[in-house]
Amino acid sequence: MKNKRDIYQEITNSIIASLEAGTIPWKKPWACCGERGLPRSGATGKPYSGINNLLTLFAPYDSPWWLTFKQCKELGGNLKGQKGTMITKWLVFDETEKDSKEKNKRAILRHFVVFNLEQCSLPDKALAWFAKRLDKLAPAIPADKVFDILGNAEKVSSDYLQRENIELNHKGDSAFYAPLEDRIVMPNRNQFDHSHSYFAVLFHEEVHSTGHSTRLNRGNDTRSRSGSDEVQVYSREELVAEIGSSFICGMLGIDNRVTNMNRDAYIAGWLKKLKDDKKAVALASSAAGKASDFVLNIAPREGDIDFESGDAAEGDTNG
């Protein structure tokens, strides 16, 4: 009998391997910003979310498109010698209890393997279609338009703080979110080596603030602050803020690698946390996706286009 695969452990092992190799999976330079750079499903055209966003966003490819083996073959592609990337999907169904006959929701985590468009050796017709598809879903910034990355980051941050009535104070040498006061404290900007670093840290704290009971309610202002369980919850919440900040930085074009951190100690700390909690990355990534969308105030996505006709397709679901 085949052993049941532990998807949580496999995901965590892949992140641990990156950290042990000296690569922090949620820190990278951003070649482009906005939805155009987000990894998305070749089947639906929609951006991935949660752990799938993390697993594909930091892969070493420039194309945002990801396809299954079947999709690649149907488009005339060739995957000889290529290694796929695992993604996951929750399948939710009703389960009837034997004693009470009550129906309860049950979720099973399934895994799939996808390949980046750059791995697929597709014919020119398919490549042209994906290019047209991306232009419709996430139009490129015109070459003659200068995009103010820092100005846009400032606007996103201030809009969120004003919208949620969160106080921001600049004082001292520490950055933190005080949940009981619903307040963020940051060092002054001139204390950071780089403006990008300032915003990466600020968005980290703003992601923490989304966990307040008046927002996404991750218990940041209501749970107890002691006990062994709290240590694990705190570690996951820190990972939510780390990954959530990276998602926001990716959308806005902020380079989140430029920080004042002790890199070796940082990596060692995360290695210990992930080895102690195999579900941390998957659960934190899901919460981070919701938190980053909340800060960014993201609007509903536009429709997709059909491969043959180029018309908008209706009824797609993310996957």
Side-chain angles (χ1 to χ4, degrees):
M1 187 174 179
K2 285 184 70 175
N3 292 329
K4 185 177 179 181
R5 293 182 65 174
D6 189 335
I7 304 303
Y8 282 119
Q9 193 63 64
E10 289 185 34
I11 291 171
T12 302
N13 287 345
S14 69
I15 303 298
I16 287 174
S18 293
L19 288 170
E20 289 179 336
T23 299
I24 304 172
W26 48 85
K27 290 186 179 290
K28 67 174 286 185
W30 302 104
C32 65
C33 46
E35 290 192 33
R36 192 172 179 84
L38 294 179
R40 57 184 71 231
S41 164
T44 69
K46 296 182 180 180
Y48 287 127
S49 60
I51 188 62
N52 292 340
N53 191 19
L54 182 66
L55 293 172
T56 53
L57 188 63
F58 303 99
Y61 304 106
D62 292 330
S63 174
W65 292 107
W66 292 84
L67 292 75
T68 63
F69 178 87
K70 181 180 178 182
Q71 290 162 0
C72 177
K73 289 296 183 181
E74 288 176 347
L75 292 171
N78 184 347
L79 284 166
K80 186 176 180 180
Q82 297 295 330
K83 182 179 179 181
T85 298
M86 183 178 70
I87 63 171
T88 66
K89 186 173 184 178
W90 283 102
L91 302 180
V92 182
F93 58 92
D94 290 326
E95 186 176 63
T96 303
E97 297 291 336
K98 291 183 179 179
D99 297 333
S100 63
K101 295 185 178 180
E102 292 183 357
K103 287 187 176 181
N104 295 313
K105 295 289 184 183
R106 184 184 176 191
I108 296 179
L109 187 64
R110 297 295 191 192
H111 74 280
F112 302 87
V113 176
V114 291
F115 300 84
N116 188 268
L117 187 70
E118 294 176 13
Q119 298 176 277
C120 295
S121 300
L122 290 171
D124 290 343
K125 179 182 179 182
L127 293 174
W129 175 65
F130 276 111
K132 181 179 179 181
R133 197 180 182 197
L134 186 60
D135 284 339
K136 173 176 173 51
L137 295 171
I141 298 171
D144 60 348
K145 181 179 178 181
V146 177
F147 185 75
D148 182 3
I149 290 178
L150 295 178
N152 190 44
E154 177 72 50
K155 184 177 187 308
V156 168
S157 174
S158 61
D159 283 354
Y160 167 69
L161 296 173
Q162 184 175 5
R163 187 170 69 245
E164 295 300 320
N165 195 28
I166 300 170
E167 183 181 354
L168 172 61
N169 300 139
H170 290 88
K171 63 180 182 180
D173 297 321
S174 300
F176 61 89
Y177 168 65
L180 298 182
E181 301 170 20
D182 200 22
R183 177 171 59 97
I184 292 172
V185 175
M186 288 282 293
N188 289 316
R189 295 194 192 197
N190 59 12
Q191 293 176 257
F192 289 83
D193 292 340
H194 197 284
S195 295
H196 284 245
S197 178
Y198 169 82
F199 282 109
V201 173
L202 177 56
F203 287 131
H204 176 109
E205 303 308 333
E206 290 184 358
V207 169
H208 274 315
S209 72
T210 67
H212 194 273
S213 57
T214 61
R215 299 180 190 102
L216 299 181
N217 195 20
R218 293 194 302 276
N220 291 6
D221 60 319
T222 56
R223 65 174 181 265
S224 67
R225 300 279 152 179
S226 61
S228 58
D229 288 344
E230 172 59 19
V231 173
Q232 187 178 68
V233 171
Y234 174 80
S235 294
R236 284 190 187 171
E237 175 61 24
E238 278 302 304
L239 195 53
V240 170
E242 280 288 283
I243 297 174
S245 175
S246 78
F247 288 167
I248 296 172
C249 288
M251 284 290 289
L252 303 181
I254 296 294
D255 186 348
N256 67 347
R257 300 172 304 162
V258 188
T259 65
N260 298 328
M261 68 180 181
N262 181 326
R263 184 181 178 84
D264 291 341
Y266 178 94
I267 289 177
W270 281 117
L271 280 171
K272 184 180 186 308
K273 290 180 175 70
L274 296 182
K275 289 176 179 178
D276 290 343
D277 184 2
K278 69 179 181 181
K279 293 186 177 181
V281 171
L283 297 180
S285 296
S286 176
K290 295 174 184 176
S292 59
D293 284 353
F294 194 89
V295 172
L296 291 163
N297 200 24
I298 288 180
R301 317 287 184 180
E302 292 186 10
D304 200 2
I305 61 173
D306 181 76
F307 177 62
E308 293 298 335
S309 68
D311 296 329
E314 298 179 357
D316 283 333
T317 57
N318 198 7

